[in-house]
Structures are given as C-alpha cells and as structure tokens.
Amino acid sequence: MTDHDTPEFRSGFVCFVGRPNTGKSTLTNALVGEKIAITSNRPQTTRHTIRGIVNRPDAQLILVDTPGLHRPRTLLGQRLNDLVRDTYSEVDVIGVCIPADEAIGPGDRWIVEQVRTMAPSTTVIGVLTKIDKVAPPSVAKQLLALSNLLGPEAEVVPVSAKSGAQLDVLADVLVGLMAPGPAFYPDGELTDEPEQVLMAEFIREAALEGVRDELPHSLAVTIDEVIPREDRREDQAPMVDVHAILYVERDSQKGIVIGHKGSRLKHVGTVARGQIEALLGTKVFLDLRVKVAKDWQRDPKQLRRMGF
C-alpha cells in the first residue's frame, strides 16, 4: 500500500447516554480496555464526566462517560443533569444505550427526546447493551425496537461489554463517523482523570456494594491527603499513604457504612486499596474516615467542597 492509499487518521469524542444502569460505564471500560469508570447496579452511580481514551493505529476515540440523565430531586441532581447537557453539545457522536433484556419505556423515549432537543445536529447511533443476557431472537426483536425509536438514519449496534462481543464492530462504526484529525492525547494514555478523582471513585464504588437503597445518593468521597511514605528501607517496596473521607447525610447512614464493629468499612478499604494500588503501581496504606455532612446534596457550599 502506498502512502497515497493510507487511510487518514481520525479522532473525535463520543458520549454514551441512557437511563441509569444501562451499562454505559461498563461499556466505556470495555472499549478502553482498563477500568477508568466505576460501575454499580445502583442508579446514578456516575457523578463526573470521565474521559476514556481508545487508541488505535488509525484513530483515537475519546469516550466521555457521564451521569445518567434523570429527573432531578436535589441540587446535586440538577448539577449532574447540567453536566450531561453540556457534554451533549461538545461531542461528535452520541450513543443511546438500551439494554437487550429490558423493554423500551417512557424513560428511554424521554432521553432520546432530550438528546434531539439539546444536540439537534449531533450524530446519534443506537447501542444495544447486555446482549449476553438474552437469546438471539430477543436481540433481533430489541434491535428493531431500538431502530424504530431512533429512526432509519441511525446505525444500531448490538454489544456485550461483559463477553466482548461486537465491541470491535462498535469501535469501527464510531471511527467511521469521525472526521480526519490528529490524536488529542499521547498514545498509551487511557484517561485524563486526575488520580485523586479515580481513587475517590474506587472507594465510593466499594462502599456502594451491598448497601440499602437510601444510601447511594447520600454518599460522597473526598481524598484528604496522598503522602509518599518516607521511612521505607531500601529493601522495602515504596508505599503511599492515602487518607480519604466518606461523607453521608445522617448518623444512621454512618452506621451502615461502618458496619458491625467496623466490618463493612474494613471490607470497603480492602476492595478499594487493591484498585488504588493497581492505579498507582505501588503499595498503599488506605485510611478511611466516615463523617456526617447533613443534607449536603442540597447545600451549595457543601457541594462545592465535594467538587460538584
């Protein structure tokens, strides 16, 4: 192949949207090939826009993982929605995620309506997620329903982030929709998120697992300090001390997070520490404290302190 025949390098931004718990963050992680967005079966787990970078010889895709668009009940909810709306207008392609194992409902139609209203000129595709959960006839039926929802001009791709099925096809479709352009990030970089943001997210993800429904929205995590351990001997591996605070809104929630004799908080620390060590590439001492910040989701001053 001559230089004249070499396809032009393409690059651009993609945002996956959908109801909470449609697999957007899991899909982002699968395409990037490494965990950069937290996942949970709890609605509205994602609270920041996190950029994941897919590097290919012919292209670079920047996947913008956003909170799920929803009807807000708090100031935090409103700010998360504003974050999503800003993202819609800045990306090149919006992928509407619909799970294969759930019928399309009013919530899905509302989100598509919001996308069309806020980003009328942005290319929209359909992504049918979780196809590993249903039989092929059900996948075909849901693909038709998704195509009818988005219209004949929108491409529709079935995928499974869990098994990896069709991820390469989805990446090819997205690359084909991008304009020729340079890479935005150095080759090999997988996210532009600061390490402290990712650390806080990993702790929050661990704390969300197995808790009652009222807690997830009331839980926030901030990193207080990250300090390299100075007193290590030459024959010892480097270590970093990470001090984090988990905020809840009520004393009863504090008890849930800590657990009987500290058992839950200890488990959260063990799970999160493993992910933080993988992120930093060094041993970590993780110190977790739980504090009550009454009604922080509705308090502008407290929201600012927690980064919202």
Side-chain angles (χ1 to χ4, degrees):
M1 181 181 278
T2 65
D3 289 344
H4 186 71
D5 296 323
T6 304
E8 286 186 276
F9 192 88
R10 294 175 179 270
S11 60
F13 292 78
V14 180
C15 176
F16 294 125
V17 306
R19 285 182 290 106
N21 201 24
T22 53
K24 302 182 295 296
S25 297
T26 306
L27 180 60
T28 296
N29 290 337
L31 285 165
V32 171
E34 191 165 307
K35 182 168 183 170
I36 55 101
I38 71 170
T39 60
S40 170
N41 59 7
R42 304 282 172 181
Q44 291 144 47
T45 297
T46 305
R47 284 189 183 154
H48 302 270
T49 53
I50 292 177
R51 290 182 176 86
I53 302 159
V54 180
N55 294 294
R56 299 184 8 156
D58 60 336
Q60 186 178 78
L61 298 171
I62 297 91
L63 310 180
V64 187
D65 188 48
T66 65
L69 193 64
H70 62 290
R71 293 180 173 87
R73 293 177 307 201
T74 64
L75 181 58
L76 172 64
Q78 183 59 57
R79 290 191 177 174
L80 295 184
N81 269 4
D82 291 344
L83 201 64
V84 177
R85 289 190 174 95
D86 290 344
T87 303
Y88 284 179
S89 60
E90 295 170 358
V91 298
D92 301 291
V93 177
I94 294 174
V96 176
C97 294
I98 301 284
D101 60 341
E102 296 176 33
I104 291 173
D108 301 304
R109 286 188 279 272
W110 180 77
I111 285 169
V112 171
E113 189 180 298
Q114 298 294 308
V115 168
R116 301 288 194 200
T117 302
M118 294 176 215
S121 58
T122 303
T123 301
V124 175
I125 69 166
V127 184
L128 190 67
T129 60
K130 307 183 183 183
I131 62 170
D132 56 290
K133 290 192 167 188
V134 297
S138 298
V139 171
K141 185 179 177 183
Q142 190 77 328
L143 278 172
L144 183 59
L146 179 52
S147 184
N148 289 337
L149 175 69
L150 298 179
E153 72 285 352
E155 292 199 57
V156 176
V157 184
V159 300
S160 168
K162 188 175 180 182
S163 72
Q166 296 270 114
L167 288 178
D168 54 341
V169 175
L170 176 58
D172 287 344
V173 167
L174 291 171
V175 169
L177 293 170
M178 298 300 160
F184 292 93
Y185 295 94
D187 191 28
E189 204 161 304
L190 300 179
T191 181
D192 66 351
E193 277 303 297
E195 286 178 342
Q196 290 203 16
V197 173
L198 289 173
M199 284 190 272
E201 289 289 270
F202 290 154
I203 294 165
R204 189 164 63 90
E205 178 185 46
L208 284 176
E209 291 310 309
V211 296
R212 295 207 292 271
D213 290 342
E214 79 271 14
L215 182 61
H217 309 298
S218 302
L219 184 67
V221 179
T222 61
I223 302 298
D224 209 24
E225 285 185 306
V226 180
I227 310 167
R229 187 77 67 89
E230 299 288 352
D231 58 354
R232 305 291 281 174
R233 299 193 311 269
E234 281 189 20
D235 60 335
Q236 289 181 307
M239 179 176 272
V240 172
D241 293 341
V242 177
H243 300 270
I245 301 172
L246 290 78
Y247 289 99
V248 292
E249 292 188 301
R250 296 190 296 279
D251 285 321
S252 60
Q253 295 169 337
K254 184 176 180 179
I256 294 170
V257 174
I258 294 173
H260 181 62
K261 294 185 177 179
S263 58
R264 277 221 82 251
L265 191 61
K266 185 177 180 182
H267 176 70
V268 168
T270 301
V271 173
R273 188 178 68 246
Q275 303 216 44
I276 293 170
E277 287 181 340
L279 173 70
L280 300 181
T282 186
K283 293 186 91 52
V284 166
F285 170 78
L286 181 59
D287 174 55
L288 301 180
R289 307 286 173 88
V290 184
K291 292 186 178 181
V292 177
K294 190 170 170 55
D295 292 330
W296 68 264
Q297 292 185 83
R298 294 169 171 81
D299 183 339
K301 191 182 291 185
Q302 294 196 87
L303 281 171
R304 276 196 302 276
R305 193 176 76 219
M306 294 179 195
F308 299 108

